[in-house]
């Protein structure tokens, strides 16, 4: 299993909206960055992703599961980009803020800090375990 982090502004698509979709999940559309596209193409069914509220909140709030692998993004008229389907798995007991990630020396190399504008990014197994602990899981 691989680990990821996906970002969404809560005013556009929040964790609560993702949770409301239930087991059928939702297509993660609208990604228009080629690096993020490559990450989405590498996602496999069953992989897990941190759900990060960007701009407003700036915190990891939950864990999502990839339930459908990459396919053409129906919102992309150019036909160049893909999407995946994700479903909410569980919330973190305590959201892990960007400030908390920055304050943890063992997370200094995390993509969230190094590639702050990237909306879909990989997370190492070590980072995953540490952030889960920080979030009360």
């Amino acid at each position: 299993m691989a680990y990821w982090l996906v970002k969404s502004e809560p005013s556009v698509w929040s964790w609560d909206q993702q949770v409301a979709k239930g087991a059928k999940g939702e297509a993660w559309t609208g990604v228009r960055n080629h690096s993020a596209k490559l990450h989405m193409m590498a996602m496999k069914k069953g992989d897990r992703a941190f759900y990060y509220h960007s701009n407003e909140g700036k915190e990891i709030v939950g864990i999502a599961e990839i339930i459908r692998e990459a396919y053409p993004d129906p919102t992309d008229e150019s036909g160049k980009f893909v999407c995946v389907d994700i479903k909410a798995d569980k919330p973190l007991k305590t959201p892990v803020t960007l400030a908390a990630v920055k304050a943890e020396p063992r997370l200094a190399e995390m993509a969230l800090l190094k590639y702050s504008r990237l909306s879909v990014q990989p997370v190492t197994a070590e980072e995953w375990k540490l952030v889960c602990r920080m979030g009360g899981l």
Side-chain angles (χ1 to χ4, degrees), residues 116-136:
S116 61
R117 307 259 314 138
L118 193 58
S119 63
V120 178
Q121 48 192 244
V123 174
T124 69
E126 295 78 23
E127 292 164 348
W128 184 266
K129 289 176 196 165
L130 182 53
V131 171
C132 284
R133 272 197 306 271
M134 292 168 69

Side-chain angles (χ1 to χ4, degrees), residues 20-70:
K21 286 293 182 173
K24 72 177 186 141
E26 180 71 7
W28 198 258
T29 61
V31 174
R32 299 294 183 266
N33 174 286
H34 287 284
S35 293
K37 173 182 109 172
L38 292 174
H39 293 315
M40 290 172 67
M41 290 174 71
M43 290 176 165
K44 300 293 180 211
K45 190 173 179 179
D47 283 357
R48 297 284 190 264
F50 285 132
Y51 198 103
Y52 181 82
H53 276 167
S54 61
N55 291 340
E56 310 142 41
K58 295 185 181 179
E59 59 190 3
I60 299 168
V61 295
I63 294 175
E65 179 183 346
I66 309 309
I67 58 171
R68 182 177 175 194
E69 295 177 12

Side-chain angles (χ1 to χ4, degrees), residues 14-28:
S14 71
W15 171 251
D16 290 340
Q17 288 172 295
Q18 187 67 50
V19 169
K21 286 293 182 173
K24 72 177 186 141
E26 180 71 7
W28 198 258

Side-chain angles (χ1 to χ4, degrees), residues 82-128:
V82 300
C83 63
V84 296
D85 289 358
I86 69 170
K87 72 171 184 171
D89 181 22
K90 61 186 155 211
L92 295 185
K93 291 178 182 172
T94 304
V96 177
T97 65
L98 180 59
V101 172
K102 287 180 177 179
E104 173 51 67
R106 292 173 290 177
L107 296 175
E109 298 300 312
M110 192 170 181
L112 181 61
L113 303 180
K114 297 186 84 158
Y115 308 102
S116 61
R117 307 259 314 138
L118 193 58
S119 63
V120 178
Q121 48 192 244
V123 174
T124 69
E126 295 78 23
E127 292 164 348
W128 184 266

